Amino acid sequence: MSGCSGFGKFVTDTATLPGANPNAPGGENLNMRRVRGYSTAETPLLPAGGNIWPGPPAPLPTLEDVEKDRIGTILGGASNGGGSQLPDGGEMSVGEPDGQPDTSQSVTGKLPDAEPDAASKYGVQRGSASTIEIPNGDGTVTLIHPDGSVTTTQAKKTQAPATPRP
């Protein structure tokens, strides 16, 4: 038995000196020395110089702050110099006040017809994709093919294997 742990460990785990408590926990660290009543010398914790803590977190914005940030944006509406709101029957346009085209902020162009395929950046190779099947609750299956086309078909009935009769 002493071959697994060594003779010294085996003896200290199994034998005690006369007068020693066999149930006392072992150890020689600082807390065990304090428990036994021995004197201990410890290095005190000293304060560090400077401010090591981060400042308080920024306060959450109020609704007033959010409204101030929206003024001057397209969604917040352009500043009309303190004018009134849109009158009844009036027309509104984005970036073209008073019906005149604004060449400094005109929105021109169109959205692209297609977005570039970014899947190759993430390790997906063309041709390695398979059809994705999404079952619907009405007995149909939506199929998303590797080329991006989507079709819906009737779900195939799976037949349970026939059980032999005794």
Side-chain angles (χ1 to χ4, degrees):
M1 286 196 317
S2 65
C4 294
S5 63
F7 185 71
K9 174 130 175 70
F10 175 74
V11 170
T12 57
D13 287 347
T14 58
T16 58
L17 296 173
N21 183 357
N23 297 322
E28 293 298 323
N29 62 15
L30 183 62
N31 284 339
M32 290 304 296
R33 291 183 59 80
R34 287 180 181 150
V35 167
R36 292 185 184 126
Y38 300 145
S39 64
T40 59
E42 58 186 86
T43 307
L45 294 175
L46 300 174
N51 186 4
I52 62 171
W53 300 106
L60 293 173
T62 62
L63 291 176
E64 182 181 5
D65 297 335
V66 173
E67 183 64 27
K68 285 179 185 177
D69 289 344
R70 283 188 51 198
I71 294 175
T73 62
I74 291 176
L75 294 177
S79 174
N80 59 2
S84 63
Q85 293 184 0
L86 184 67
D88 289 339
E91 294 183 11
M92 181 186 337
S93 62
V94 176
E96 300 175 358
D98 302 330
Q100 301 298 324
D102 184 8
T103 58
S104 65
Q105 294 183 1
S106 64
V107 180
T108 59
K110 64 174 194 161
L111 293 175
D113 292 332
E115 288 293 321
D117 187 10
S120 60
K121 289 193 315 188
Y122 302 103
V124 177
Q125 306 301 327
R126 280 226 177 258
S128 65
S130 60
T131 302
I132 299 171
E133 297 181 7
I134 303 171
N136 301 322
D138 60 355
T140 60
V141 176
T142 301
L143 303 172
I144 303 175
H145 301 282
D147 63 353
S149 61
V150 179
T151 58
T152 302
T153 61
Q154 279 297 114
K156 297 176 184 171
K157 303 286 185 194
T158 57
Q159 292 185 0
T163 55
R165 292 190 167 190

